[in-house]
């Protein structure tokens, strides 16, 4: 009887919750929330849906885990300056803000998920992680303890609101087709504002030109500076 030749074992990367979440983020980025199904995820991971359910109970838990993973990465970066690591709490706040701003740009599904999770389950992992990242820097600014919550909440609301609106604007601009770039889109909006009734919208008409060619990121950071200036004026460091 001829001896059987033993085939070498095929070594596959073990299925873990982390791999599942990473694959879910990739699917969300490419096909959106509607395309995130356990069947599609199983195909991407070359496994069966049952194996995924062993690690994740359902789609709601999967969306929460994907949101947490992206937010964790976004707020993890240390603030830096051209000459090296930044030490200013203001730089720390700007770094957290830019991390979240960039994450909502790269992941179109993130902003609505953040809004949903912060309203439905503020006790979950996402809200405390963002609040902690901002709050530590607010504390380092010397804001009095009894003003920590108000100051940190104002920053958090501005960051998430402005970043989410920017992501929504980007998505809306994309729906006009590849032939309409951002500059043309802004020019059309500015022109529409300039055509408004001068008696009913005098301010909007006067500011319309500033909309053309503005840099979203610079405008976002300018808003951060305005909020920080207000916090410093209203809540000076305790003696």
């Amino acid at each position: 009887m001829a001896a059987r030749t033993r085939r070498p074992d095929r070594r596959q990367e073990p299925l873990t919750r982390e791999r599942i979440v990473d694959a879910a983020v990739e699917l969300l980025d490419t096909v959106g929330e509607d395309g995130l199904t356990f069947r599609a995820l199983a195909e991407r991971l070359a496994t069966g849906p049952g194996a995924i359910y062993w690690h994740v109970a359902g789609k709601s838990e999967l969306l929460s885990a994907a949101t947490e993973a992206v937010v964790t990465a976004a707020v993890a970066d240390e603030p830096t300056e051209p000459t090296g690591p930044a030490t200013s709490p203001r730089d720390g706040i700007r770094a957290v803000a830019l991390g979240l701003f960039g994450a909502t740009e790269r992941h179109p599904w993130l902003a609505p998920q953040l809004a949903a999770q912060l309203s439905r389950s503020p006790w979950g992992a996402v809200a405390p992680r963002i609040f902690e990242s901002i709050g530590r820097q607010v504390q380092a600014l010397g804001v009095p303890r009894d003003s920590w919550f108000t100051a940190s909440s104002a920053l958090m609301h501005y960051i998430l609101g402005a970043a989410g609106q920017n992501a929504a604007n980007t998505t809306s601009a994309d729906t006009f087709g590849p032939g309409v770039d951002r500059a043309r889109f802004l020019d059309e909006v500015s022109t529409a504002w300039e055509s408004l009734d001068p008696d009913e919208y005098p301010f909007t008409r006067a500011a319309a030109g500033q909309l053309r060619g503005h840099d979203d990121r610079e405008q976002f950071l300018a808003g951060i500076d305005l909020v920080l200036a207000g916090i410093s004026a209203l809540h000076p460091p305790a003696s």
Side-chain angles (χ1 to χ4, degrees), residues 125-143:
V126 173
R129 190 174 297 279
I130 297 174
F131 196 75
E132 181 72 19
S133 299
I134 296 170
R136 289 186 184 185
Q137 303 300 331
V138 167
Q139 180 182 5
L141 280 173
V143 174

Side-chain angles (χ1 to χ4, degrees), residues 10-237:
R10 179 185 296 176
R11 294 187 177 182
Q12 294 182 343
E13 188 177 353
L15 187 65
T16 62
R17 182 181 173 87
E18 183 178 3
R19 279 192 64 210
I20 293 170
V21 172
D22 288 344
V25 170
E26 293 174 0
L27 271 176
L28 286 165
D29 289 345
T30 54
V31 297
E33 183 179 342
D34 291 341
L36 178 63
T37 65
F38 273 60
R39 176 176 294 181
L41 195 57
E43 291 178 358
R44 182 173 287 263
L45 292 167
T47 187
I52 297 175
Y53 278 110
W54 180 262
H55 297 276
V56 183
K59 184 171 180 176
S60 178
E61 181 180 336
L62 189 58
L63 285 168
S64 296
T67 303
E68 181 184 355
V70 171
V71 167
T72 299
V75 302
D77 294 336
E78 292 295 328
T80 58
E81 293 178 339
T83 56
T87 57
S88 166
R90 286 175 174 265
D91 290 335
I93 290 170
R94 287 163 66 94
V96 171
L98 281 176
L100 291 167
F101 185 87
T104 57
E105 280 191 318
R106 293 188 300 273
H107 308 284
W109 54 272
L110 181 60
Q113 276 301 312
L114 280 172
Q117 291 194 32
L118 293 179
S119 61
R120 296 173 187 171
S121 56
W123 51 81
V126 173
R129 190 174 297 279
I130 297 174
F131 196 75
E132 181 72 19
S133 299
I134 296 170
R136 289 186 184 185
Q137 303 300 331
V138 167
Q139 180 182 5
L141 280 173
V143 174
R145 186 186 187 94
D146 60 0
S147 299
W148 284 357
F149 179 76
T150 301
S152 300
S153 295
L155 280 163
M156 181 172 171
H157 292 156
Y158 170 78
I159 291 169
L160 296 182
Q165 185 60 56
N166 177 72
N169 291 344
T170 300
T171 300
S172 296
D174 290 342
T175 63
F176 287 96
V180 181
D181 60 14
R182 179 180 180 276
R184 180 180 170 186
F185 174 76
L186 291 178
D187 182 68
E188 290 180 354
V189 176
S190 298
T191 300
W193 283 14
E194 290 169 341
S195 302
L196 293 170
D197 185 291
D199 295 325
E200 193 169 359
Y201 301 99
F203 177 83
T204 303
R205 281 170 54 92
Q210 298 176 24
L211 179 62
R212 288 189 180 91
H214 78 276
D215 184 277
D216 292 328
R217 192 170 294 249
E218 289 181 3
Q219 183 189 39
F220 176 71
L221 288 175
I224 294 290
D225 291 339
L226 285 172
V227 177
L228 287 173
I231 290 173
S232 298
L234 293 174
H235 306 293

